[in-house]
Amino acid sequence: MQIKSFTRNNLGIATAAALGALVAGSGIGLVGSYAQAGAEPLRLEEPVRMPSFADVVERVSPAVVSVRVTIEPEQAERSETRRGPRGGPGQQFGMPDIDPDHPLYEFFRRFEEFGFGPGPRGGEPAPQRPPRRAASQGSGFFISGDGYVVTNDHVVRNATTVEVMLDDGSSFEAEVVGNDPRTDLALLKIDAPEQDFPYLNLADERSRIGDWVVAIGNPFGLGGSVTAGIISGEARDIGAGPYDEFLQIDAPINRGNSGGPTFNLAGEVVGVNTAIFSPSGGNIGIAFAIPAHVTSNVVTALMEQGEVVRGYLGVQIQPVTQEIAEAMGRDDTQGALVAQPQPDSPADEAGLESGDIILSVDGESIADHRALSRRIADIDPGTAITLEIVRRGDVREISVEIGRLSDA
């Protein structure tokens, strides 16, 4: 061996190799010395096994779809200017000025299409382009074998065409059967009588905080992406509407996951992904899903009637704070405080007054103002109910005939 012919790095390697061979040859190698001393390597008799979601994912993936919609320019909600400088803390990067024939042009174009481009310069108007149809993507899942698909209302709102792409790469045109903006749910239908689509069941039992969940969807148009986490909270009110009752999950959810399912480990849908909380637009571990029991009621109504009909009481309500309870001589904050009955509403006609506290509906206790909204919404219009209320310290009952909540 001509050691002098090696460079400095090679010399070190060669020398180490020769030394290792010498040590091993002499019977005093590191591993050999432990073995001779009778020591055993440290290891667990039974390895720690983390939960694998592979079986669940393999089973349910065929029923999860990507939803692509097109929207006419005049219906698309676009901003005339794109604000903010490139880069910087909390800022997002725009599409670089590259030739359309460049191999990465399509990648950056799609990146900008999902809302990550502030335009050429902060605060400057975006370049004028010919009117074109806007396109967006989301997720969804089959709820029946004959082609009904659940997704978010905001995914298909104002859509002129809807295309559903399956896990195997096939695609079908779909129509919007009905939608419910108040819960952000929509129901699609594929007209393909010869097809028997794989479908999913909504969970009957409510999830518990701490349960493992798996989310599958189409983030940023990638399709078929799987993330996992736990249920972090329940009955969250995020200000989206009067019937907020979201599950909070920490499985990574991003743009394009909207409308996709979140599963329990039995492969049942426990929620429909609809929103994230993020100061930057990316996932920070706080996502929200419409729970299965809400989804079930809305989807059933849309499938049978094409719309969701809700009961209407006609009161502006607010929570009963500790200060309000003490002022009214009560020991707890149960119920919903009537701020004001709306003129000519069922509540007004029944004699409800500002300052009344609604304690129960037909004997069912009302925990707070949100619970009252959900309870009244579930009652069929025209139904006579009995409200238990507190008025100026006295508990009394009032009979009300529930009206129908209008779209307005």
Side-chain angles (χ1 to χ4, degrees):
M1 177 182 295
Q2 297 182 355
I3 296 179
K4 63 181 180 180
S5 66
F6 282 77
T7 64
R8 178 176 297 178
N9 289 339
N10 287 339
L11 176 60
I13 295 172
T15 304
L19 180 61
L22 179 62
V23 172
S26 64
I28 58 172
L30 189 61
V31 175
S33 66
Y34 283 160
Q36 290 176 5
E40 294 290 336
L42 299 177
R43 66 183 300 272
L44 293 174
E45 292 297 327
E46 292 293 332
V48 176
R49 299 187 183 277
M50 297 297 290
S52 173
F53 308 110
D55 291 340
V56 175
V57 172
E58 183 178 8
R59 181 66 175 173
V60 302
S61 288
V64 182
V65 302
S66 299
V67 179
R68 182 175 179 84
V69 306
T70 57
I71 305 171
E72 294 295 343
E74 61 271 14
Q75 294 177 317
E77 297 179 0
R78 295 181 179 180
S79 176
E80 295 181 359
T81 60
R82 298 175 179 181
R83 305 181 184 276
R86 290 179 182 269
Q91 298 297 329
Q92 300 165 336
F93 291 90
M95 182 173 174
D97 296 324
I98 59 178
D99 190 272
D101 294 329
H102 192 281
L104 293 179
Y105 179 84
E106 181 64 15
F107 170 81
F108 284 111
R109 185 194 67 77
R110 292 178 64 192
F111 194 68
E112 184 186 39
E113 181 178 298
F114 277 93
F116 281 85
R121 295 292 184 272
E124 293 183 3
Q128 295 298 318
R129 298 175 179 173
R132 64 176 183 177
R133 291 184 176 181
S136 65
Q137 296 194 56
S139 306
F141 58 95
F142 284 107
I143 199 69
S144 70
D146 57 350
Y148 282 100
V149 175
V150 174
T151 188
N152 278 150
D153 170 61
H154 76 258
V155 170
V156 298
R157 190 178 302 154
N158 297 324
T160 54
T161 64
V162 179
E163 182 183 11
V164 172
M165 289 154 282
L166 277 60
D167 185 59
D168 61 7
S170 59
S171 63
F172 298 86
E173 288 190 5
E175 66 170 339
V176 180
V177 174
N179 60 328
D180 182 39
R182 289 186 173 92
T183 56
D184 196 22
L185 287 168
L187 185 65
L188 312 178
K189 179 66 167 66
I190 296 174
D191 185 15
E194 70 283 358
Q195 294 283 337
D196 187 14
F197 297 103
Y199 65 94
L200 302 169
N201 287 326
L202 296 169
D204 291 328
E205 296 185 3
R206 299 197 182 190
S207 299
R208 299 181 302 165
I209 296 175
D211 281 349
W212 280 105
V213 290
V214 179
I216 303 180
N218 180 34
F220 304 111
L222 296 173
S225 295
V226 181
T227 57
I230 62 170
I231 300 288
S232 304
E234 59 183 3
R236 294 297 197 215
D237 182 358
I238 63 174
Y243 310 116
D244 282 11
E245 196 180 352
F246 291 102
L247 294 176
Q248 180 185 329
I249 63 176
D250 70 351
I253 302 297
N254 290 286
R255 300 185 183 188
N257 277 106
S258 292
T262 289
F263 299 95
N264 59 22
L265 298 190
E268 300 169 322
V269 177
V270 298
V272 179
N273 303 319
T274 191
I276 63 173
F277 175 81
S278 173
S280 64
N283 179 270
I284 61 169
I286 302 178
F288 301 99
I290 306 162
H293 67 274
V294 173
T295 304
S296 178
N297 293 336
V298 172
V299 167
T300 300
L302 293 177
M303 194 177 294
E304 295 178 353
Q305 305 166 172
E307 62 177 344
V308 179
V309 177
R310 291 186 171 91
Y312 169 65
L313 181 59
V315 288
Q316 296 178 10
I317 53 176
Q318 63 186 65
V320 180
T321 64
Q322 188 64 44
E323 292 78 8
I324 292 174
E326 291 176 358
M328 301 187 71
R330 297 190 57 79
D331 298 328
D332 57 57
T333 59
Q334 177 198 343
L337 177 66
V338 177
Q340 182 179 356
Q342 297 176 355
D344 301 323
S345 66
D348 186 33
E349 294 175 358
L352 277 173
E353 299 177 0
S354 298
D356 289 347
I357 296 178
I358 300 176
L359 299 178
S360 69
V361 176
D362 281 344
E364 179 181 334
S365 295
I366 298 299
D368 54 30
H369 64 297
R370 291 186 299 166
L372 177 64
S373 295
R374 292 192 292 268
R375 180 68 181 90
I376 295 299
D378 289 339
I379 300 174
D380 293 332
T383 304
I385 63 170
T386 300
L387 301 178
E388 183 184 35
I389 68 169
V390 176
R391 177 178 296 171
R392 292 184 284 276
D394 296 330
V395 178
R396 64 181 67 184
E397 293 185 346
I398 289 183
S399 179
V400 184
E401 183 175 322
I402 294 298
R404 173 174 174 151
L405 184 65
S406 68
D407 293 338

